[in-house]
Amino acid sequence: MLVGAGGRLSVHPDKPVLVAPRGRNVQFWDLEGASVIETRRIDPSADNTLFTSARYSPDGRYIAFGSPYGPMKVLRLADDALVPISTDRSINGDRIAFHPDGQRFVAVGERTPEGGNIPNAHWVDLQSGESRPLVPDEVEVVDAAVSDDGKYIAIAETQAISIYDTASLDQQMRSPLAEKPTWVVASPDGDWIVGLADGTVRTWSSETGQFVPEANPDMGLGWVIAIDRFDDSNRFCVLTGKQKILIWDRDTGSIRFVGHHGSAHCIRAIPGERGMVTVGFNNGSRLWPMPRPQTNSEPATESQLAWSLVTVSADGSIVAAVGQYVHVWNVSNGKCLTAFEPRTRHIKDVCLSPDGSLIALVGQELKTEVWSVTQGHPVADYFDPDGENRWPETINRRSNCVRFSEDGRQLMVAEQDALRIYDVHSRQRLTELAKVARKTGTVLISMIQAMDTDSQSGRIALAHTYSIVVWDPADERVLKTVETRGPLDAEHPGVFFSNDGKRLVVGHLYRVAVYDIESGHLLDELRSHWVHGRMDEDWLVSNREGQLSWWSPATEYVPPYERTSRRPALKPLMKARGQLKDVALTDDGMLVLIDQHDKPLVYGK
């Protein structure tokens, strides 16, 4: 779930509470309810200081805050008082590692010797209020960690690992490295886990001053962005340069894939091995549960927690979720009917036939597969009979581009510049609404992102760049072209006919708009929300916090100045447990959503 945090956050060692710096303020979040507990001002006297990192002490008594412009602050939670420390203003505390006693910590950040910004490491004692730098000015520090027994500090430099004694603060040893380290974490056995710029995670031994040759996994292309450890175990969560979230069990050597978080730069393990929190540059924080142990009855896939698409049959009896594998369940008893790996990759859209017997998948290069749900094997492939591929290979976004007809006999597939309608059983192409229509001349269609069918008239709405084309499939002619105020949202594209077929509801970039088809006017809009579907005259929408609500938009034109001043007609429904990925609705009021947890959730009317 998106919980909002601008920098590096921390989780309380004993409670399900997350602390996230937000500029001059700090937010405390309930991890179980994914809700804000309270917001506080870190330092009322520091109006111009912005804080971007936070770290709980091991006993939960203190929180250390770092700022890119300094100085650091330490908050004592017992009385909400700031603890005086003598760090230089230019030490920003970008990365903070506490000693097990909770009274000392090492803070890594930039300092400015003679006008040059070189990251250093400062050792801070909260009891005495004193601090001192650990490395010479010419040494650039990348990260630092404290051993479990509190005796040693490991400092990752640009091309070396240094070990310091916490009692004397003297350097005990220094070993050059061939690759640049990006992160260092203490291991329970006294060794150090080091993430490297070459994408590997390696175990460095303090006894030998070298890397341990075995059990050093390659995490893929790009460097290792961040590492954190689960409690006292030998298990680590890793964030890679490809924004992959992985769990590495050092004892068994296994690596589990959990999911992706674009532009993420921090990862934190939740105490009790309950999950992880990742932080992105522009889209806040996300909660990730621990993956379940695999069983022999399930496909050997790491994508079950990476399900991103969900669909439900028209009668509400069957639900399917899609990741690397496709799983289909019977809603009444929760039994898995089939699980298979589709032949195409990077699934963009999925649709179940009205009776739930077939499932259509559209993936890479718009290859369309139809599988039998009951038999669990492919029935047919649908492709351009002329051998043309109108879908650019560079496109990497979700598109609502495949639908069954209401009787289940036809399959509609929207491509970049055409809508093709096939007979499901014969696989013959019945109609093509293309860039050049045979009966009406030239109609420009490009980059189709979403489609919908009016159940009353059979009209088809095709949403693409800055306009929506309403087609009559029987006569292959354009009935209306509605110019939109902006393109569709790349992550949540959607276009829907109203119940009476007179209006279109469109999901723009974090904004929902209602257009009158006849006049093309913008009737109403709802900002800071996505739209997921229609239920009678209401619309299911969600915001960035995962709050689902019913929205009743205006059916007549509302002037822009009234839209901004009036209160939107929203009726709260529920809050998602994790990151909301996809939602499916049935006409009888059933809601199926997929979040960051293991399985889709089914809700009755």
Side-chain angles (χ1 to χ4, degrees), residues 314-463:
D315 60 7
S317 62
I318 305 296
V319 63
V322 179
Q324 179 183 347
Y325 287 77
V326 178
H327 287 71
V328 184
W329 294 273
N330 184 306
V331 173
S332 62
N333 57 21
K335 181 180 178 181
C336 184
L337 300 177
T338 185
F340 61 87
E341 183 177 8
R343 289 172 292 188
T344 186
R345 298 297 183 188
H346 307 297
I347 303 299
K348 307 291 184 184
D349 197 17
V350 58
C351 185
L352 277 166
S353 61
D355 61 0
S357 63
L358 300 174
I359 183 169
L361 308 163
V362 178
Q364 190 174 3
E365 299 179 359
L366 209 74
K367 294 178 180 177
T368 306
E369 301 177 10
V370 174
W371 288 65
S372 169
V373 171
T374 55
Q375 300 176 5
H377 64 73
V379 175
D381 292 335
Y382 297 84
F383 56 91
D384 189 338
D386 300 323
E388 299 178 12
N389 178 11
R390 290 194 172 111
W391 194 261
E393 294 184 5
T394 56
I395 295 300
N396 184 21
R397 56 170 169 75
R398 178 182 295 180
S399 294
N400 294 331
C401 53
V402 63
R403 292 291 181 272
F404 281 95
S405 61
E406 288 196 7
D407 58 11
R409 297 178 180 178
Q410 296 179 355
L411 183 69
M412 295 175 283
V413 182
E415 301 193 12
Q416 182 192 3
D417 57 2
L419 172 69
R420 293 195 172 101
I421 302 177
Y422 298 92
D423 182 273
V424 171
H425 297 290
S426 68
R427 285 176 283 173
Q428 293 183 349
R429 187 177 62 185
L430 303 177
T431 308
E432 181 178 90
L433 308 180
K435 189 172 183 179
V436 180
R438 291 189 291 273
K439 296 183 180 180
T440 61
T442 301
V443 177
L444 180 61
I445 303 176
S446 63
M447 304 301 294
I448 298 174
Q449 288 182 265
M451 61 182 292
D452 192 29
T453 303
D454 183 5
S455 59
Q456 298 183 15
S457 65
R459 294 174 302 167
I460 300 173
L462 299 175

Side-chain angles (χ1 to χ4, degrees), residues 231-278:
D231 299 332
D232 297 327
S233 70
N234 220 357
R235 192 185 307 186
F236 301 82
C237 53
V238 183
L239 180 64
T240 73
K242 291 292 184 180
Q243 283 79 46
K244 288 184 178 180
I245 296 144
L246 306 173
I247 295 179
W248 172 43
D249 191 319
R250 187 162 165 250
D251 293 331
T252 64
S254 64
I255 299 176
R256 301 282 316 263
F257 169 73
V258 177
H260 292 86
H261 186 178
S263 303
H265 63 278
C266 176
I267 191 167
R268 287 283 183 261
I270 300 175
E273 300 196 15
R274 289 175 292 174
M276 298 137 286
V277 183
T278 55

Side-chain angles (χ1 to χ4, degrees), residues 23 29 31 35 93 106 124 144 201 205 225 267 285 298 380 502 508 544 548 605:
W29 284 81
L31 284 176
S35 59
V106 57
V124 180
V201 176
S205 172
I225 295 178
I267 191 167
S285 303
E298 296 176 338
K502 296 181 179 180
H508 293 302
R544 210 177 269 279
L548 287 163
K605 187 173 182 180

Side-chain angles (χ1 to χ4, degrees), residues 541-563:
V541 296
S542 67
N543 61 14
R544 210 177 269 279
E545 284 73 41
Q547 175 65 53
L548 287 163
S549 305
W550 292 117
W551 178 47
S552 299
T555 57
E556 303 294 335
Y557 174 73
V558 176
Y561 63 88
E562 290 188 16
R563 294 188 212 127

